């Protein structure tokens, strides 16, 4: 069981855009409707798991991306195909990419597997001694 804790003052101040929490939660639950191959992959990875086995669904999708041997992390990835959705291009064609390809694919696969997810990007450098 997961609980989302939202500070109403933060929402009222507009720090997290102008969406109400209900709209936000609906957004992170809704998978893109134009990625049928991704939807089928998520279904094939999790079809034997109960809908309420959130941890199992997360583990299954995560392990597919990290332990299946199909995907390779690289800062120097092959060029993307502009005629294919980038997530589909990564998952089914290139299978090589940097952290944002893995993170975006994980988030979309999880949504298709029935797990609310979102992608947070950013970079925090380190202080040198």
């Amino acid at each position: 069981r997961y609980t989302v804790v939202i500070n109403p003052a933060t929402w009222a101040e507009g720090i997290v855009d102008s969406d109400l929490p209900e709209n936000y939660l609906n957004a992170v639950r809704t998978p893109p409707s134009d990625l049928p191959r991704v939807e089928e992959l998520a279904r094939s990875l999790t079809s034997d798991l109960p809908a309420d086995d959130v941890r199992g669904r997360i583990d299954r999708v995560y392990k597919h991306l990290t332990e299946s041997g199909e995907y390779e992390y690289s800062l120097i990835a092959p060029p993307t195909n502009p005629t294919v959705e980038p997530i589909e291009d990564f998952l089914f064609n290139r299978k090589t990419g940097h952290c944002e390809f893995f993170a975006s694919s994980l988030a979309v696969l999880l949504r298709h597997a029935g797990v609310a997810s979102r992608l947070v990007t950013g970079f925090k450098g380190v202080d040198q001694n």
Side-chain angles (χ1 to χ4, degrees), residues 109-128:
L109 282 166
L110 287 174
R111 285 186 188 183
H112 277 293
V115 178
S117 60
R118 68 182 178 133
L119 177 66
V120 177
T121 61
F123 176 78
K124 175 159 179 14
V126 295
D127 296 326
Q128 288 189 332

Side-chain angles (χ1 to χ4, degrees), residues 54-72:
V54 174
R55 180 80 251 162
R57 290 171 176 276
I58 293 169
D59 287 344
R60 191 74 58 84
V61 172
Y62 174 78
K63 286 179 180 177
H64 175 73
L65 290 172
T66 60
E67 297 177 12
S68 69
E70 289 189 47
Y71 304 97
E72 179 182 357

Side-chain angles (χ1 to χ4, degrees), residues 8-80:
T10 302
W11 289 94
E13 293 169 13
I15 294 173
V16 190
D17 206 310
S18 60
D19 288 337
L20 297 173
E22 298 82 30
N23 293 340
Y24 170 78
L25 293 175
N26 287 335
V28 298
R29 287 185 187 119
T30 306
S33 61
D34 60 345
L35 300 173
R37 292 176 70 195
V38 177
E39 181 178 3
E40 178 55 36
L41 176 59
R43 187 178 308 118
S44 72
L45 292 171
T46 60
S47 63
D48 62 329
L49 298 173
D52 64 348
D53 186 1
V54 174
R55 180 80 251 162
R57 290 171 176 276
I58 293 169
D59 287 344
R60 191 74 58 84
V61 172
Y62 174 78
K63 286 179 180 177
H64 175 73
L65 290 172
T66 60
E67 297 177 12
S68 69
E70 289 189 47
Y71 304 97
E72 179 182 357
Y73 180 85
S74 175
L75 294 177
I76 303 168
T80 58

